[in-house]
Every structure is written in structure tokens, then in C-alpha cells.
RNA sequence: GGGCGGUUAGCUCAGUUGGUAGAGCGCCUGCUUUACACGCAGGAUGUCGGGGGUUCAAGUCCCUCACCGCCCACCA
């Protein structure tokens, strides 16, 4: 064993060994009946792992390794999401770069090309998980487009259909003109943009002047069917019921009253364009107004806009409309206006609200049991604030637009016959369910990618087939993910699990922190602030990276910190070296045995057990950062600086009992550290004398109360040592044991140099004065809890003794 | 506009039920004859964002203001 622990090579070796020996597989190390199941949030096949994946992987791996050591039948399910629009976006852009397009090569060729491309990316991602030391069952890799998974998706759809919860409706949707598909509200991101607000006058038909409206989308004037004002708006009361002439097109439309108009905005009068605005769509529907469309699916002006405009880019059309207004003296003014505009999450094209025929899933019946389950705490979100958010999101969830006009994804199990009958069936029907026609055509649309993600925890187990795995591993235990995905994924897994299997897929949802760049900005490729998690892993090791990420994790957003990772590296190195001390001194013939003879040996055994319990508490509460603190303190302060220093001399003397006990203590330390630092602990384990199973599947230390009484045995020695080192004041110790340990750990030659009796005297006098003040305060003594007063008295007495012991 | 969170040492952050502020890094001082200098021992540094309130006692509970961040959102 070298003095410097070098993770590179060691970690890769263990990662291969564990996987090859089947120790990552479901059920490895199983010694009890209960299962422990986590389904990894399947990364999109499009990319590589980012820092959030590394943190999330570390969190899940700690829980999984811990449960594996406790003997649970543990399954950590890996795989990928086909990520419909995200994947199509990447491949489509590749085609554009090659000077072609998906339309040119056609659907079949496009899908084939996508399959080819993701054969490479998937491999990369799984290798990155391996490099992190993630103990997922790599033999069970699943993909949301595997054939059995497709069965699950289609079954989900047909069951919803059978309940009558899926319907087709013409509604206004968010339309991405680049991808030429509808996207859900959740896939639209709002970005601040500079715009121009145009104020245009619409003349009344009776010649009594005009009414002014304000708009940022001048081209949509062509599709106006009304002007609306607020019913209580005194300025426009006279106008209600009159008619105005729409500029350019000359259409006569009514002025209506609707409370949804905001009088304070713009001119207070709103032009109504039901075909191209969600609010106008609703107002139009409630007032029985027609829907006109002037913008086509490609985002350009369509034929309905008239021959002058057809085919124009919207911006050009805007300019022409403005020119017309100016020419006819109907342009009142134009103002700079900065506002949030909806854009496509994937390609950032401006979203066009369009009326289109889409498939919807009614949410009310699906959400209700999920809301109840959350309210009854049958599933819990951590932290608690996210639990409330999850409930609120379900309560407010609008019907889910599940159809997408994409090519990459699960095609809807809907067929049409020439007579227009609709057959919904899976497996695919041979003939129309209504008329028996064999000439069926499948609906070209695919499902929203989250429709299939929602089934991840059980579709990966073979559902809808009644597999032994579903029976054994469903429901699972924990799901850990990022905050922004609660509505997209967590809630949908909850309601689909309840609907299809009658149970929620997990009992706890961990919402982990977002890892920001060191400067506090978001980590993103476009900003250049991203840090590849493989970088710290290569530089400092997977153990150090795992430790560092867990240390900085909390409930809020956290900044990435190399310092935290270096701390992890130091911990691994420290551990390596104390193991070197013990193993070398014990010799190859030694064996571990708990044979404590002296106080410090009983004390470290008690400390190890107490720390084990503290760490378990942290993990039960999902407080990963707190756990790293416990482990660091245990290793550096308790195990190395006190225990190892105290027994060092006896180890050199060849004391077999001390060596056996030290080996036993080291084994317990390694076990407690293993879930966070799996590689270095396994490597040390290998170097211990005697044959034993791999640490990864070795039992987690059992509670051991034998030495609990000695937990505080060293408190007095530690305090005496600190006093001595600081001031050269020798504090009287109570027993030979205490004096012996003091002598072994404290080296007088090093302490004296720092002694400054005068400074110490001043410090003690200050403390004593403060303590006397407090005890002289009647209100404090009368009202503080007795133990607080007593503690203050003891502190005061101790300071007095130390003061008296100071050399003059 | 709505919701949530943050503001504690030079930096990154902990602070459980109110009991008189901590860690790591950095900095200063002193230590290497057989675990580790990726180490050991010691030290300095805080009006706990501002203001008000409750309490014997507030970083912790309440109100308020300021700034920062995230999520959500149909003021065209």
C-alpha cells in the first residue's frame, strides 16, 4: 500500500469487478425478504450526463448500497427515455446541417436514422454511470421504445380510452413552427423579448370616431372578429354594441364587453383573434364568434390571409399592416415593449397559438385519487414545500394534450377506416370495429414523451404482463429527481400507478438541489458555464466527487465547489493511510476480533456505533450533506486523531489484541463509509488480512450497545488536551487510563511552544466574568431551565480551576 | 402578476424543538527520526441583510422593508 491513495485505475477496476461478479444485479447480497427499489430517472438518449445526474446518481447510489448491505433485495433500475421532441430536434438539426430535412427523407428513413444515432449515445451515458460507481443493475437496461414497453404505453392509452377519458378536440394549442407540432404548456418556456406595441384605430361603422386597440402581433389583425372592452370601463361604455371596421381586411365586427379584458393595459380595448390567442379563443367561444386563421403550421401567413399576404413571414406581414395603418391614418402610436414570449423549450422558436385538432386526456378523474394519496401522505415529497406544490399542481392540472405531430415516439393506437370510423385497439386491429373495413389507416401522431415516462417504474418490470418482477418489486421505495420535473413526471407516475396498478410506485420523492456553476449562474452549455461531471471524477476520483456533491447538496440551489470534492479526496486519502497503519502493524497473520482491553478501544467502538446510528438517521431523513459531516468527523477526529494515535504505540509493540480490535474497528468504519466512498473502502477491504466477501455485499454493522457506556469516556481527556495545548496548563485527570491516553496523544514538546499563559488568563477571566454576570441575573436563574443554569455553573467552576492551574 | 426559497466568518455553506454562533476551504503561528504535509497542533476573523415586535432569553417565532434566486403565469 502506497502512502498516497490514487483513485485512478483502482476505481475502474472495482467498477468492472462488481459488475462482472454480478454484485450490481438485482438481489445481490440479499439476506432478507423485503425489497428496496429505485427506478433511475431515465436520462434522455440525446446527450451525456450533467452535474445534476451525477448528484442524483450519488444520492440514489448511497441509498441503494446502504440497503444492499442491510440485506434487502435491492433493485436499481437503469435505462433511457426516447425523449420524443428532444431527440427529434437533435436529429432534425443534423439533417438541416446536412442540407436536407426530415420532410425530404421521409418518416421511415427519419426514424431509422434516429435509431442508428442513439445506438452510440446510450453507450456513453451508461459508461458515465459506471464511472460514477452507480450500482444500477446494468443487465436490466430498459428503453421507453423497447417492444414490451410499447405494450405498456398502448395499454395505458386503451385503458384511458375505455374509461372515456381520452377525447379529440379542436382547441387552441401551443404550436412550434419549427417542429410543426403541438406542445404542452409545460414544454413552453417564456423568454423576455423586445417588442413593439402598436396602437391602431378601428373606426366605428356609424362614423362616430374610432376605438384604439393595442397589439404586438399586427399581422393577426387580419383574423380579428371583434373588439372587446371591460363592461365597467366608463371610457368605452358607449362603444359596446357598436360595430367597427377591421383595418386592411375591412371586415365589420362587433364591440363586445368581457370582464377578462384588463382596462389598465394598452388602450383598454382588446382586439379579439380567437384563431391565434388563447384568451381570445375563450372569449370568442363564450361570445359565439367565428375563428379565423391567418397563420399556417409553418408559422408563415397562410392562404386565408389573402393573396397579398399568403406565404409572407409574420414580421413582413406585420410591417405591411403597419404601413397600411400609417397610410390610412389609423396608426396612433408605437411603443417599445419588453415582455415574456412563449418559446419552444427545445428549439426556442416563438410559439404560435393555433387552433388545431388534438387528442386530450381528461385529468379530473385521474388526478383525484392522486391528490387524496398525497394529502394522506401515502407518498411524501422531500422537502415538505415540494409536497404542497405537488398537490397544488395536481389540483390545477388542465387536461393533458397528449398528441404530437412528430415522427419519433409512440404512434397512437388509433385507426381510421375510409368511412371515418375510429378504432382504438391494441394490438393493432385487422378491421374497423364499426364497419369491418380492412382499409385502416393509423393516426400519424405520436404520444407526448411524458405519456410513456409516466409508466417507467412498472413498465420496466414487464407490466402489463403479470410478471414475477411486478409482484416482487412493485411498488418501489424512492424516486429522486430535480425540481422542475415534478409536474411533468412525478405527478404523472403517481396517478398512472394508482390508475393502472392501484398503488403509487414509491413512498418517498426526493427533490434534490439544482447544481449551479461556481459563480452562481445556471450550468448550461449555451452560457458556457457547464462542468462535465467526468472532469472532477478524472481529477479527484469518483469517491471524492460523490462525497463533494453530497456535501454541497441541500434543499436549495447550490454552487458547485471543487473544495468540497477535494475534501472528499482528502477523506479517502486519510482513510487509506490509517488503514495502512493498522494493516501493516497487524501483519498478514492477524484477524479481526473485538477484544478491547482499554478505555480508548471501548470508546472508539461506542463512537463507531453512535456514528453509524447518526448516519442512518441522516439517510432516513434524506439529509445527505449532514451525513458527510458525520463521516468526516468520525474518520478524521475520532478514528485517526484520537483512537489511532492512542493505540499506535501498542500496535508497534506487536500487541495482538490491540491489532485484532483495531482491525475490527477499521472494518466497521469501512462499512459505514462504503455507501459514500465505495471504491476506496473496497480497495482497503481487499488489503485486510483474511478472506471475506466483497464489502459491497457485506453486512451493514449491527447496532452494538456493548460499549455505549464508554461513548463519552474521552471527553475529559480531549478537553484536558485542548487546555494543555493552548496554555500548557496541566489539568488533573481522574484515572490512569485517562492519563495514559493523554500521554499517548499529546506531545508536550509540540504544545509548549504555543503556550501563552497571559492570553489564556485573559480569556478565562473574560469567560468567568460573563458566567458570573449570567448567574447574578435573577431573571435568568429563575426562568431558564435548571439544566441550563447548572451547565453554566459547571462551566464557571471549570474556568476557575483552569485559571488557578495557570503558571504564574 | 402569483408561489416558493435565500441573505450567518474572506469564500462555499451547516445551524434539529428559542438557551447566548459552527464546519470545510483560505489566512497566521508552530511542528516531519516508522499511517498520512492530500498531515498534526494552535490561532485570528461574525452588530447572523435593515427596522420593529413577542420572550427572562431570538440566527431560530411574528410583522415589515431591501436586495438576490428559482418555478409558475393568456395584460393583448
Amino acid at each position: 500500500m502506497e502512502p498516497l491513495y490514487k483513485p485512478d485505475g483502482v476505481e475502474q477496476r472495482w467498477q468492472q469487478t462488481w459488475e462482472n461478479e454480478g454484485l450490481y444485479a438485482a438481489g445481490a447480497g440479499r439476506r432478507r425478504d423485503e425489497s428496496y427499489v429505485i427506478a433511475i430517472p431515465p436520462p434522455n438518449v440525446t446527450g451525456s450526463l450533467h452535474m445534476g445526474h451525477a448528484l442524483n446518481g450519488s444520492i440514489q447510489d448511497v441509498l441503494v448500497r446502504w440497503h444492499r448491505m442491510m440485506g434487502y433485495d435491492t433493485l436499481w433500475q437503469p435505462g433511457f427515455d426516447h425523449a420524443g421532441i428532444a431527440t427529434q430536434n437533435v436529429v432534425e438539426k443534423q439533417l438541416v446541417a446536412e442540407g436536407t430535412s426530415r420532410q425530404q427523407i421521409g418518416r421511415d428513413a427519419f426514424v431509422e436514422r434516429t435509431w442508428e444515432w442513439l445506438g452510440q449515445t446510450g453507450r456513453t451515458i451508461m459508461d458515465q454511470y459506471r464511472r460514477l460507481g452507480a450500482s444500477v443493475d446494468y443487465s436490466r437496461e430498459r428503453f421507453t421504445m423497447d417492444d414490451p414497453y410499447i405494450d405498456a404505453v398502448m395499454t395505458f392509452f386503451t385503458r384511458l380510452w375505455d374509461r372515456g377519458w381520452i377525447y379529440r378536440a379542436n382547441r387552441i394549442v401551443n404550436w412550434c413552427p419549427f417542429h410543426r407540432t403541438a406542445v404542452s404548456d409545460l414544454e413552453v418556456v417564456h423568454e423576455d423579448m423586445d417588442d413593439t406595441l402598436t396602437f391602431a384605430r378601428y373606426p366605428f361603422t356609424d362614423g362616430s370616431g374610432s376605438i384604439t386597440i393595442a397589439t404586438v402581433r399586427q399581422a393577426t389583425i387580419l383574423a380579428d372578429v371583434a373588439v372587446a372592452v371591460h363592461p365597467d370601463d366608463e371610457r368605452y361604455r358607449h362603444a359596446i354594441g357598436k360595430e367597427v371596421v377591421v383595418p386592411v381586411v375591412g371586415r365589420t365586427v362587433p364591440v363586445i364587453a368581457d370582464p377578462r379584458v384588463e382596462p389598465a393595459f394598452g388602450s383598454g380595448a382588446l382586439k379579439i383573434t380567437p384563431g391565434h390567442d388563447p384568451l381570445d379563443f375563450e372569449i370568442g367561444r363564450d361570445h359565439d364568434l367565428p375563428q379565423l386563421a391567418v397563420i399556417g403550421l409553418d408559422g408563415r401567413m397562410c392562404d386565408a390571409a389573402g393573396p397579398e399576404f399568403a406565404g409572407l413571414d409574420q414580421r413582413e406581414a406585420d410591417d405591411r399592416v403597419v404601413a397600411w395603418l400609417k397610410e390610412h391614418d389609423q396608426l396612433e402610436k408605437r411603443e417599445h415593449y419588453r415582455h415574456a414570449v412563449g418559446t419552444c423549450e427545445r428549439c426556442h422558436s416563438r410559439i404560435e397559438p393555433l387552433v388545431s385538432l388534438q387528442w386530450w386526456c381528461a385529468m379530473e378523474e385521474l388526478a383525484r385519487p392522486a391528490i387524496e394519496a398525497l394529502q394522506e401522505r401515502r407518498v411524501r415529497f422531500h422537502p415538505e414545500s415540494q409536497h404542497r406544490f405537488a398537490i397544488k399542481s395536481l389540483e390545477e392540472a388542465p387536461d393533458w394534450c397528449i398528441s404530437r405531430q412528430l415522427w419519433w415516439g409512440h404512434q397512437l393506437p388509433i385507426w381510421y377506416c375510409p368511412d371515418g370510423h375510429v378504432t382504438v385497439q391494441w394490438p393493432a386491429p385487422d378491421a374497423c370495429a364499426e364497419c369491418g373495413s380492412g382499409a385502416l389507416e393509423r393516426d400519424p401522431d405520436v404520444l407526448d414523451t411524458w405519456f410513456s415516462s409516466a409508466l417507467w417504474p412498472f413498465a420496466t418490470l414487464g407490466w402489463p404482463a403479470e410478471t414475477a418482477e411486478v409482484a416482487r418489486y412493485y411498488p418501489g421505495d424512492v424516486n429522486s429527481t430535480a425540481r422542475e420535473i415534478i409536474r411533468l413526471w412525478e405527478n404523472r407516475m403517481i396517478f398512472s400507478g394508482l390508475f393502472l396498478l392501484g398503488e403509487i410506485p414509491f413512498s418517498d420523492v426526493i427533490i434534490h438541489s439544482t447544481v449551479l456553476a461556481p459563480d452562481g449562474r445556471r450550468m448550461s452549455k449555451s452560457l458556457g458555464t457547464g462542468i462535465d461531471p467526468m472532469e472532477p471524477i478524472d481529477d479527484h476520483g469518483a469517491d471524492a466527487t460523490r462525497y463533494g456533491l453530497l456535501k454541497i447538496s441541500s434543499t436549495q440551489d447550490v454552487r458547485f465547489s471543487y473544495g468540497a470534492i477535494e475534501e472528499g479526496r482528502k477523506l479517502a486519502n486519510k482513510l487509506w493511510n490509517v488503514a495502512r497503519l493498522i494493516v501493516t502493524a497487524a501483519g498478514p497473520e492477524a484477524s479481526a476480533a473485538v477484544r478491547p482491553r482499554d478505555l480508548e478501544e471501548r470508546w472508539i467502538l461506542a463512537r463507531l456505533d453512535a456514528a453509524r446510528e447518526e448516519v442512518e438517521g441522516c439517510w432516513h431523513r434524506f439529509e445527505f450533506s449532514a451525513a458527510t459531516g458525520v463521516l468526516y468527523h468520525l474518520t478524521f477526529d475520532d478514528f485517526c486523531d484520537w483512537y489511532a494515535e492512542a493505540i499506535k504505540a501498542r500496535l508497534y509493540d506487536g500487541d495482538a489484541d490491540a491489532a485484532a480490535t483495531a482491525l475490527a474497528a477499521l472494518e466497521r468504519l469501512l462499512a459505514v463509509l462504503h455507501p459514500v466512498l465505495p471504491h476506496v473502502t473496497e480497495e482497503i477491504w481487499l488489503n485486510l488480512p483474511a478472506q471475506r466477501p466483497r464489502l459491497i455485499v457485506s453486512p451493514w454493522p449491527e447496532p452494538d450497545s456493548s460499549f455505549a457506556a464508554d461513548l463519552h469516556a474521552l471527553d475529559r481527556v480531549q478537553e484536558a488536551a485542548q487546555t494543555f495545548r493552548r496554555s500548557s496548563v496541566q489539568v488533573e485527570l481522574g484515572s490512569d487510563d485517562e492519563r495514559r491516553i493523554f500521554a499517548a496523544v499529546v506531545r508536550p514538546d509540540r504544545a509548549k511552544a504555543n503556550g501563552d499563559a497571559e492570553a489564556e488568563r485573559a480569556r478565562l477571566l473574560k469567560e468567568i466574568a460573563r458566567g458570573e454576570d449570567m448567574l447574578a441575573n435573577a431573571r435568568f436563574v429563575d426562568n431558564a431551565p435548571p439544566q441550563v443554569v447548572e451547565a453554566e455553573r459547571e462551566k464557571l467552576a471549570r474556568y476557575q480551576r483552569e485559571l488557578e492551574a495557570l503558571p504564574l
Side-chain angles (χ1 to χ4, degrees), chain A residues 480-513:
Chain A
S480 176
T481 192
R483 200 184 307 121
E484 62 264 25
I485 227 165
I486 291 175
R487 302 193 308 171
L488 288 164
W489 195 42
E490 295 297 337
N491 283 350
R492 286 168 179 168
M493 283 192 287
I494 291 172
F495 68 62
S496 59
L498 275 169
F499 171 56
L500 296 168
L501 291 99
E503 285 183 280
I504 297 168
F506 31 72
S507 54
D508 295 276
V509 178
I510 301 169
I511 303 299
H512 67 248
S513 40

Short mmCIF file of all heavy atoms in Angstrom, two decimals, chain A residues 480-513:
data_model
loop_
_atom_site.label_atom_id
_atom_site.label_comp_id
_atom_site.label_asym_id
_atom_site.label_seq_id
_atom_site.Cartn_x
_atom_site.Cartn_y
_atom_site.Cartn_z
N SER A 480 -35.96 9.90 -6.92
CA SER A 480 -35.19 11.11 -6.66
C SER A 480 -35.01 11.87 -7.96
O SER A 480 -34.60 11.30 -8.97
CB SER A 480 -33.82 10.72 -6.10
OG SER A 480 -33.03 11.88 -5.92
N THR A 481 -35.34 13.15 -7.93
CA THR A 481 -35.27 13.89 -9.18
C THR A 481 -35.16 15.39 -8.95
O THR A 481 -35.14 15.86 -7.83
CB THR A 481 -36.49 13.56 -10.05
OG1 THR A 481 -36.29 14.07 -11.35
CG2 THR A 481 -37.75 14.16 -9.48
N ALA A 482 -35.10 16.12 -10.06
CA ALA A 482 -34.95 17.57 -10.00
C ALA A 482 -36.31 18.25 -9.86
O ALA A 482 -37.34 17.69 -10.21
CB ALA A 482 -34.24 18.07 -11.25
N ARG A 483 -36.27 19.45 -9.38
CA ARG A 483 -37.50 20.17 -9.03
C ARG A 483 -38.40 20.41 -10.24
O ARG A 483 -39.62 20.26 -10.16
CB ARG A 483 -37.10 21.52 -8.42
CG ARG A 483 -38.18 22.16 -7.61
CD ARG A 483 -37.73 23.54 -7.13
NE ARG A 483 -36.46 23.53 -6.46
CZ ARG A 483 -35.40 24.23 -6.85
NH1 ARG A 483 -35.47 25.00 -7.90
NH2 ARG A 483 -34.27 24.18 -6.19
N GLU A 484 -37.80 20.79 -11.36
CA GLU A 484 -38.62 21.22 -12.50
C GLU A 484 -39.43 20.08 -13.11
O GLU A 484 -40.22 20.29 -14.01
CB GLU A 484 -37.74 21.87 -13.57
CG GLU A 484 -36.70 20.96 -14.18
CD GLU A 484 -35.34 21.11 -13.51
OE1 GLU A 484 -35.31 21.54 -12.33
OE2 GLU A 484 -34.32 20.78 -14.15
N ILE A 485 -39.25 18.88 -12.60
CA ILE A 485 -39.86 17.74 -13.27
C ILE A 485 -41.04 17.17 -12.48
O ILE A 485 -41.64 16.18 -12.85
CB ILE A 485 -38.73 16.70 -13.50
CG1 ILE A 485 -38.77 16.19 -14.92
CG2 ILE A 485 -38.78 15.60 -12.51
CD1 ILE A 485 -37.51 15.47 -15.30
N ILE A 486 -41.40 17.87 -11.40
CA ILE A 486 -42.48 17.38 -10.54
C ILE A 486 -43.78 17.21 -11.31
O ILE A 486 -44.42 16.17 -11.25
CB ILE A 486 -42.69 18.32 -9.34
CG1 ILE A 486 -41.48 18.24 -8.40
CG2 ILE A 486 -43.97 17.97 -8.59
CD1 ILE A 486 -41.53 19.21 -7.24
N ARG A 487 -44.15 18.24 -12.05
CA ARG A 487 -45.44 18.16 -12.75
C ARG A 487 -45.35 17.29 -13.99
O ARG A 487 -46.29 16.60 -14.35
CB ARG A 487 -45.91 19.56 -13.13
CG ARG A 487 -46.05 20.46 -11.92
CD ARG A 487 -46.79 21.70 -12.25
NE ARG A 487 -46.21 22.37 -13.40
CZ ARG A 487 -46.78 23.40 -14.00
NH1 ARG A 487 -47.95 23.85 -13.58
NH2 ARG A 487 -46.19 23.97 -15.02
N LEU A 488 -44.20 17.36 -14.65
CA LEU A 488 -44.05 16.59 -15.88
C LEU A 488 -43.99 15.09 -15.60
O LEU A 488 -44.48 14.29 -16.38
CB LEU A 488 -42.75 17.00 -16.58
CG LEU A 488 -42.72 18.37 -17.25
CD1 LEU A 488 -41.30 18.79 -17.54
CD2 LEU A 488 -43.53 18.34 -18.54
N TRP A 489 -43.34 14.73 -14.50
CA TRP A 489 -43.06 13.31 -14.31
C TRP A 489 -43.60 12.74 -13.00
O TRP A 489 -44.36 11.77 -13.02
CB TRP A 489 -41.54 13.09 -14.39
CG TRP A 489 -41.16 11.67 -14.56
CD1 TRP A 489 -41.75 10.74 -15.37
CD2 TRP A 489 -40.10 10.97 -13.90
NE1 TRP A 489 -41.12 9.53 -15.25
CE2 TRP A 489 -40.10 9.65 -14.36
CE3 TRP A 489 -39.13 11.36 -12.95
CZ2 TRP A 489 -39.17 8.70 -13.91
CZ3 TRP A 489 -38.21 10.42 -12.52
CH2 TRP A 489 -38.25 9.10 -13.00
N GLU A 490 -43.21 13.32 -11.87
CA GLU A 490 -43.58 12.73 -10.58
C GLU A 490 -45.10 12.56 -10.46
O GLU A 490 -45.59 11.48 -10.16
CB GLU A 490 -43.08 13.60 -9.43
CG GLU A 490 -41.57 13.69 -9.32
CD GLU A 490 -40.89 12.37 -9.05
OE1 GLU A 490 -41.56 11.46 -8.51
OE2 GLU A 490 -39.70 12.24 -9.39
N ASN A 491 -45.82 13.65 -10.71
CA ASN A 491 -47.26 13.58 -10.56
C ASN A 491 -47.88 12.56 -11.51
O ASN A 491 -48.81 11.84 -11.16
CB ASN A 491 -47.88 14.95 -10.80
CG ASN A 491 -47.69 15.87 -9.60
OD1 ASN A 491 -47.26 15.42 -8.53
ND2 ASN A 491 -48.01 17.13 -9.77
N ARG A 492 -47.32 12.48 -12.70
CA ARG A 492 -47.89 11.56 -13.68
C ARG A 492 -47.58 10.11 -13.34
O ARG A 492 -48.38 9.22 -13.62
CB ARG A 492 -47.40 11.94 -15.08
CG ARG A 492 -48.09 13.20 -15.58
CD ARG A 492 -47.43 13.76 -16.81
NE ARG A 492 -48.15 14.96 -17.27
CZ ARG A 492 -47.67 15.79 -18.19
NH1 ARG A 492 -46.49 15.56 -18.73
NH2 ARG A 492 -48.37 16.85 -18.55
N MET A 493 -46.41 9.85 -12.74
CA MET A 493 -46.14 8.48 -12.28
C MET A 493 -47.10 8.11 -11.16
O MET A 493 -47.56 6.98 -11.06
CB MET A 493 -44.70 8.38 -11.76
CG MET A 493 -43.66 8.30 -12.84
SD MET A 493 -42.05 7.85 -12.18
CE MET A 493 -41.57 9.36 -11.36
N ILE A 494 -47.40 9.08 -10.32
CA ILE A 494 -48.27 8.81 -9.18
C ILE A 494 -49.68 8.46 -9.67
O ILE A 494 -50.25 7.44 -9.29
CB ILE A 494 -48.29 10.01 -8.21
CG1 ILE A 494 -46.93 10.13 -7.53
CG2 ILE A 494 -49.40 9.85 -7.18
CD1 ILE A 494 -46.75 11.40 -6.69
N PHE A 495 -50.23 9.29 -10.56
CA PHE A 495 -51.61 8.99 -10.95
C PHE A 495 -51.71 7.79 -11.89
O PHE A 495 -52.68 7.05 -11.83
CB PHE A 495 -52.38 10.23 -11.43
CG PHE A 495 -51.96 10.87 -12.73
CD1 PHE A 495 -52.04 10.18 -13.93
CD2 PHE A 495 -51.58 12.21 -12.76
CE1 PHE A 495 -51.70 10.79 -15.13
CE2 PHE A 495 -51.24 12.83 -13.96
CZ PHE A 495 -51.30 12.11 -15.15
N SER A 496 -50.69 7.60 -12.72
CA SER A 496 -50.79 6.43 -13.61
C SER A 496 -50.58 5.13 -12.82
O SER A 496 -51.22 4.12 -13.09
CB SER A 496 -49.80 6.54 -14.77
OG SER A 496 -48.49 6.64 -14.30
N GLY A 497 -49.69 5.17 -11.82
CA GLY A 497 -49.51 3.99 -10.97
C GLY A 497 -50.78 3.64 -10.22
O GLY A 497 -51.19 2.48 -10.14
N LEU A 498 -51.42 4.66 -9.69
CA LEU A 498 -52.68 4.44 -8.97
C LEU A 498 -53.75 3.90 -9.90
O LEU A 498 -54.48 2.97 -9.57
CB LEU A 498 -53.17 5.76 -8.35
CG LEU A 498 -52.59 6.13 -6.99
CD1 LEU A 498 -52.96 7.56 -6.64
CD2 LEU A 498 -53.11 5.17 -5.92
N PHE A 499 -53.83 4.47 -11.09
CA PHE A 499 -54.87 4.09 -12.04
C PHE A 499 -54.66 2.66 -12.55
O PHE A 499 -55.59 1.87 -12.60
CB PHE A 499 -54.88 5.09 -13.20
CG PHE A 499 -55.77 4.70 -14.35
CD1 PHE A 499 -57.13 4.44 -14.15
CD2 PHE A 499 -55.26 4.61 -15.64
CE1 PHE A 499 -57.95 4.09 -15.22
CE2 PHE A 499 -56.07 4.26 -16.71
CZ PHE A 499 -57.42 3.98 -16.50
N LEU A 500 -53.43 2.33 -12.90
CA LEU A 500 -53.19 1.05 -13.56
C LEU A 500 -52.93 -0.10 -12.58
O LEU A 500 -53.29 -1.23 -12.85
CB LEU A 500 -52.01 1.19 -14.53
CG LEU A 500 -52.24 2.17 -15.69
CD1 LEU A 500 -50.94 2.47 -16.40
CD2 LEU A 500 -53.28 1.61 -16.66
N LEU A 501 -52.26 0.19 -11.47
CA LEU A 501 -51.91 -0.89 -10.55
C LEU A 501 -52.49 -0.70 -9.15
O LEU A 501 -52.31 -1.54 -8.29
CB LEU A 501 -50.38 -1.03 -10.43
CG LEU A 501 -49.68 -1.55 -11.68
CD1 LEU A 501 -49.07 -0.43 -12.47
CD2 LEU A 501 -48.62 -2.57 -11.32
N GLY A 502 -53.17 0.42 -8.96
CA GLY A 502 -53.80 0.63 -7.66
C GLY A 502 -52.84 1.07 -6.57
O GLY A 502 -53.25 1.23 -5.42
N GLU A 503 -51.56 1.26 -6.92
CA GLU A 503 -50.61 1.70 -5.91
C GLU A 503 -49.62 2.70 -6.49
O GLU A 503 -49.27 2.64 -7.67
CB GLU A 503 -49.84 0.52 -5.34
CG GLU A 503 -50.68 -0.32 -4.38
CD GLU A 503 -49.86 -1.44 -3.79
OE1 GLU A 503 -49.68 -2.47 -4.47
OE2 GLU A 503 -49.38 -1.28 -2.65
N ILE A 504 -49.16 3.59 -5.64
CA ILE A 504 -48.17 4.59 -6.04
C ILE A 504 -46.82 3.89 -6.15
O ILE A 504 -46.49 3.04 -5.32
CB ILE A 504 -48.13 5.73 -5.01
CG1 ILE A 504 -49.49 6.43 -5.00
CG2 ILE A 504 -47.02 6.72 -5.33
CD1 ILE A 504 -49.68 7.36 -3.84
N PRO A 505 -46.03 4.22 -7.17
CA PRO A 505 -44.78 3.48 -7.42
C PRO A 505 -43.70 3.64 -6.35
O PRO A 505 -42.70 2.94 -6.40
CB PRO A 505 -44.28 4.06 -8.75
CG PRO A 505 -45.43 4.78 -9.34
CD PRO A 505 -46.30 5.21 -8.21
N PHE A 506 -43.86 4.57 -5.42
CA PHE A 506 -42.80 4.80 -4.43
C PHE A 506 -43.44 5.49 -3.23
O PHE A 506 -44.53 6.04 -3.33
CB PHE A 506 -41.69 5.68 -5.01
CG PHE A 506 -42.19 6.66 -6.04
CD1 PHE A 506 -42.93 7.76 -5.64
CD2 PHE A 506 -41.97 6.46 -7.40
CE1 PHE A 506 -43.43 8.65 -6.58
CE2 PHE A 506 -42.48 7.35 -8.34
CZ PHE A 506 -43.20 8.45 -7.93
N SER A 507 -42.75 5.45 -2.12
CA SER A 507 -43.30 6.07 -0.91
C SER A 507 -42.69 7.44 -0.65
O SER A 507 -43.25 8.25 0.07
CB SER A 507 -43.06 5.16 0.29
OG SER A 507 -41.68 4.85 0.39
N ASP A 508 -41.50 7.68 -1.22
CA ASP A 508 -40.83 8.96 -0.98
C ASP A 508 -40.27 9.53 -2.27
O ASP A 508 -39.70 8.80 -3.08
CB ASP A 508 -39.68 8.78 0.02
CG ASP A 508 -40.20 8.37 1.39
OD1 ASP A 508 -40.60 9.26 2.16
OD2 ASP A 508 -40.24 7.15 1.66
N VAL A 509 -40.43 10.82 -2.41
CA VAL A 509 -39.86 11.51 -3.56
C VAL A 509 -38.85 12.52 -3.04
O VAL A 509 -39.19 13.40 -2.24
CB VAL A 509 -40.94 12.25 -4.37
CG1 VAL A 509 -40.29 13.00 -5.53
CG2 VAL A 509 -41.98 11.28 -4.89
N ILE A 510 -37.61 12.37 -3.46
CA ILE A 510 -36.56 13.32 -3.07
C ILE A 510 -36.42 14.34 -4.19
O ILE A 510 -36.19 13.97 -5.34
CB ILE A 510 -35.22 12.60 -2.88
CG1 ILE A 510 -35.33 11.52 -1.81
CG2 ILE A 510 -34.13 13.62 -2.53
CD1 ILE A 510 -34.11 10.61 -1.76
N ILE A 511 -36.58 15.60 -3.85
CA ILE A 511 -36.33 16.65 -4.82
C ILE A 511 -34.98 17.26 -4.46
O ILE A 511 -34.85 17.97 -3.46
CB ILE A 511 -37.44 17.73 -4.79
CG1 ILE A 511 -38.81 17.08 -5.03
CG2 ILE A 511 -37.15 18.80 -5.82
CD1 ILE A 511 -38.96 16.38 -6.36
N HIS A 512 -33.98 16.92 -5.26
CA HIS A 512 -32.63 17.37 -4.90
C HIS A 512 -32.36 18.77 -5.44
O HIS A 512 -33.10 19.30 -6.25
CB HIS A 512 -31.58 16.38 -5.40
CG HIS A 512 -31.48 16.33 -6.90
ND1 HIS A 512 -31.86 15.24 -7.62
CD2 HIS A 512 -31.07 17.24 -7.80
CE1 HIS A 512 -31.67 15.49 -8.90
NE2 HIS A 512 -31.19 16.70 -9.04
N SER A 513 -31.29 19.34 -4.94
CA SER A 513 -30.97 20.71 -5.30
C SER A 513 -30.45 20.81 -6.73
O SER A 513 -29.95 19.84 -7.29
CB SER A 513 -29.92 21.27 -4.34
OG SER A 513 -28.96 20.28 -4.05
#
